[in-house]
């Protein structure tokens, strides 16, 4: 019999530095403000309408491999050609599709490189490593904006295949300065620059005009932050020739029929309800941000997303644990070290959830 770890020599060496995504169990009855989900479910009438649409899905048939109706709904909403879209199971899968397709090393390089600011969405790094690419992070400046000189230096050193720029950025909640985004785009003609708009609904800022001006720019979008996280629907808006190439690495039927039907219904018939929920988050963000700013000892970064990025006086690990004991779960970034040892990310909840969060935070400082 072979040893129990017979497969170890066959694993990618990069996997040794990765851990599987396994969030800690959430105590029953807790207020969950750690995952940047919408706090509001669809209203009863909208849920009934959605149920009727889902009842028409033929579960004995494979899904539409092209997700034609969904593709057309997104294209209409964004003013783009349907063939410019690559759809996936959340933006996580789309990130993987992009990197898988664009993984050829540059001439003279052993591995393809991927570049992004830090801190930012962890899946850029995680996916690059899992595909044998080399991820390179560039620290944001003190205002959590793009630091252009270090970024230029890393672009020169590594000549990345792909640059990811999330704006608003997760976890900082900040919009990158438009002139700095344009500078990056002006200096990266043979690199795909992905403008991740996962949180754009909460900022009102989108980058379709930049993609029209710069043919190597792309946009990444998702339904997960606007109240439809369970659907796992995301997409990239790409130059059509690149989209056709990326489609070659997409698995058939990667987006199930129920998610396709629900996404179409929510982007069309239920769009007013989805947009209304976003505006409720924006209003609640402003109300609570003013109260956070009034708390002694906190540093609160103005947010353009659906969460707050705050620094506590001492240890984020201690404060988040104390809040958890009080029934409120938030995200601590202490494990990242350095200046992030004091940082918490707190998702905007309902008014009652946010009031409970404020009470727990005050008691935990």
């Amino acid at each position: 019999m072979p040893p129990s770890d017979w497969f170890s020599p066959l694993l990618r060496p990069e996997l040794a530095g990765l851990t599987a995504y396994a969030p800690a169990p959430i105590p029953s009855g807790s207020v969950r403000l750690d995952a940047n989900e919408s706090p509001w479910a669809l209203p009863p009438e909208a849920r009934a309408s959605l149920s009727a649409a889902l009842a028409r899905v033929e579960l004995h048939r494979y899904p539409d491999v092209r997700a034609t109706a969904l593709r057309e709904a997104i294209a209409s909403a964004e003013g783009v050609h349907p063939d410019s879209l690559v759809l996936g199971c959340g933006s996580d899968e789309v990130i993987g599709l992009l990197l898988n397709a664009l993984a050829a090393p540059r001439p003279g390089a052993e591995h393809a490189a991927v570049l992004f600011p830090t801190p930012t969405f962890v899946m850029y790094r995680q996916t690059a490593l899992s595909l044998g690419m080399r991820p390179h992070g560039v620290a944001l400046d003190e205002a959590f904006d793009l630091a252009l000189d270090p970024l230029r230096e890393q672009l020169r050193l590594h000549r990345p295949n792909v640059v990811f720029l999330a704006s608003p950025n997760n976890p900082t909640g900040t919009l990158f300065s438009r002139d700095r985004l344009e500078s990056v785009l002006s200096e990266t003609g043979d690199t795909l620059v992905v403008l991740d708009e996962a949180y754009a609904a909460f900022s009102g800022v989108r980058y379709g005009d930049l993609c029209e001006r710069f043919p190597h720019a792309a946009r990444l979008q998702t339904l997960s932050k606007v109240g439809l996280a369970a659907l796992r629907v995301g997409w990239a808006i790409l130059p059509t020739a690149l989209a056709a190439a990326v489609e070659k690495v997409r698995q058939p039927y990667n987006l199930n029929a129920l998610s396709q039907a629900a996404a179409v219904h929510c982007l069309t018939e239920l769009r007013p309800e989805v947009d209304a929920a976003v505006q409720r988050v924006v209003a609640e963000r402003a109300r609570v941000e003013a109260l956070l700013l009034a708390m002694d000892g906190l540093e609160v970064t103005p947010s353009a997303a659906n969460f707050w990025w705050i620094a506590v006086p001492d240890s984020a690990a201690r404060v988040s644990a104390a809040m958890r004991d009080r029934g409120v779960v938030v995200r601590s970034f202490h494990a990242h070290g350095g200046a992030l040892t004091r940082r918490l990310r707190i998702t905007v909840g309902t008014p009652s959830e946010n009031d409970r969060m404020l009470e727990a935070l005050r008691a935990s400082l």
Side-chain angles (χ1 to χ4, degrees), residues 46 100 125 149 158 226 229 232 242 269 276 342-343 362-363:
N100 194 14
R125 176 182 181 275
D149 287 341
H158 302 296
V226 296
R232 306 303 297 131
L242 177 56
E269 297 297 322
R342 297 171 49 229
R343 285 283 173 178
R362 289 190 190 96

Side-chain angles (χ1 to χ4, degrees), residues 109-155:
E110 186 177 356
H111 301 277
V114 179
L115 194 68
F116 43 81
T118 58
T120 195
F121 184 40
V122 67
M123 292 309 296
Y124 307 147
R125 176 182 181 275
Q126 189 100 350
T127 306
L129 282 173
S130 72
L131 293 172
M133 304 173 80
R134 293 295 179 264
H136 300 280
V138 183
L140 295 171
D141 68 14
E142 292 183 355
F144 299 113
D145 202 348
L146 296 175
L148 283 183
D149 287 341
L151 192 56
R152 290 188 180 108
E153 179 64 12
Q154 293 299 305
L155 287 169

Side-chain angles (χ1 to χ4, degrees), residues 45-108:
E45 299 83 0
R47 291 169 69 90
S49 174
L50 179 57
S51 294
L54 294 179
R56 294 191 290 270
V57 174
E58 296 183 333
L59 297 179
H60 62 296
R61 301 293 187 187
Y62 281 113
D64 175 2
V65 71
R66 285 271 296 166
T68 305
L70 178 55
R71 186 179 295 270
E72 291 176 351
I74 296 168
S76 176
E78 295 296 332
V80 299
H81 195 282
D83 289 344
S84 69
L85 299 172
V86 173
L87 283 74
C89 184
S91 57
D92 291 353
E93 184 189 15
V94 180
I95 291 167
L97 295 174
L98 292 173
L99 295 186
N100 194 14
L102 294 167
R106 300 270 189 183

Side-chain angles (χ1 to χ4, degrees), residues 15-348:
L15 298 185
L18 297 175
T19 56
Y21 183 69
I26 304 297
S28 177
S30 296
V31 172
R32 291 195 55 178
L33 302 178
D34 64 321
N36 296 349
E37 302 155 317
S38 173
W40 283 287
L42 290 169
E45 299 83 0
R47 291 169 69 90
S49 174
L50 179 57
S51 294
L54 294 179
R56 294 191 290 270
V57 174
E58 296 183 333
L59 297 179
H60 62 296
R61 301 293 187 187
Y62 281 113
D64 175 2
V65 71
R66 285 271 296 166
T68 305
L70 178 55
R71 186 179 295 270
E72 291 176 351
I74 296 168
S76 176
E78 295 296 332
V80 299
H81 195 282
D83 289 344
S84 69
L85 299 172
V86 173
L87 283 74
C89 184
S91 57
D92 291 353
E93 184 189 15
V94 180
I95 291 167
L97 295 174
L98 292 173
L99 295 186
N100 194 14
L102 294 167
R106 300 270 189 183
E110 186 177 356
H111 301 277
V114 179
L115 194 68
F116 43 81
T118 58
T120 195
F121 184 40
V122 67
M123 292 309 296
Y124 307 147
R125 176 182 181 275
Q126 189 100 350
T127 306
L129 282 173
S130 72
L131 293 172
M133 304 173 80
R134 293 295 179 264
H136 300 280
V138 183
L140 295 171
D141 68 14
E142 292 183 355
F144 299 113
D145 202 348
L146 296 175
L148 283 183
D149 287 341
L151 192 56
R152 290 188 180 108
E153 179 64 12
Q154 293 299 305
L155 287 169
R156 184 187 66 80
L157 283 174
H158 302 296
R159 293 195 63 207
N161 290 19
V162 183
V163 173
F164 288 102
L165 300 173
S167 183
N169 185 43
N170 173 22
T172 64
T174 48
L175 279 166
F176 296 144
S177 297
R178 190 175 183 86
D179 61 332
R180 300 188 189 189
L181 289 173
E182 292 183 4
S183 292
V184 173
L185 287 163
S186 297
E187 299 170 26
T188 52
D190 62 349
T191 293
L192 179 67
V193 178
V194 180
L195 303 171
D196 190 341
E197 297 180 342
Y199 298 92
F202 306 101
S203 69
V205 176
R206 296 188 182 271
Y207 298 108
D209 63 312
L210 293 182
C211 291
E212 292 177 1
R213 288 174 52 196
F214 297 97
H216 60 293
R219 299 159 70 194
L220 188 63
Q221 300 180 338
T222 179
L223 295 180
S224 294
K225 309 306 174 186
V226 296
L228 304 166
L231 299 186
R232 306 303 297 131
V233 173
W235 59 88
I237 303 173
L238 304 169
T240 53
L242 177 56
V246 176
E247 280 286 293
K248 296 176 183 179
V249 301
R250 181 179 64 83
Q251 294 293 315
Y253 313 118
N254 64 324
L255 202 55
N256 74 76
L258 292 170
S259 288
Q260 290 186 37
V264 169
H265 201 66
C266 290
L267 286 171
T268 54
E269 297 297 322
L270 299 184
R271 189 61 184 255
E273 285 80 1
V274 173
D275 291 344
V278 168
Q279 292 309 308
R280 292 167 73 188
V281 169
V282 170
E284 192 60 9
R285 181 185 70 196
R287 179 185 78 88
V288 176
E289 190 168 295
L291 297 173
L292 290 169
L293 287 166
M295 282 193 190
D296 291 336
L298 292 185
E299 299 173 26
V300 183
T301 302
S303 177
N306 67 338
F307 55 84
W308 302 283
W309 178 240
I310 68 173
V312 297
D314 49 17
S315 165
R318 182 193 65 78
V319 173
S320 64
M323 293 180 71
R324 189 183 185 92
D325 289 343
R326 292 175 170 86
V328 178
V329 180
V330 300
R331 177 77 184 274
S332 171
F333 280 75
H334 66 276
H336 295 262
L340 300 188
T341 57
R342 297 171 49 229
R343 285 283 173 178
L344 297 175
R345 190 193 68 195
I346 305 176
T347 306
V348 177

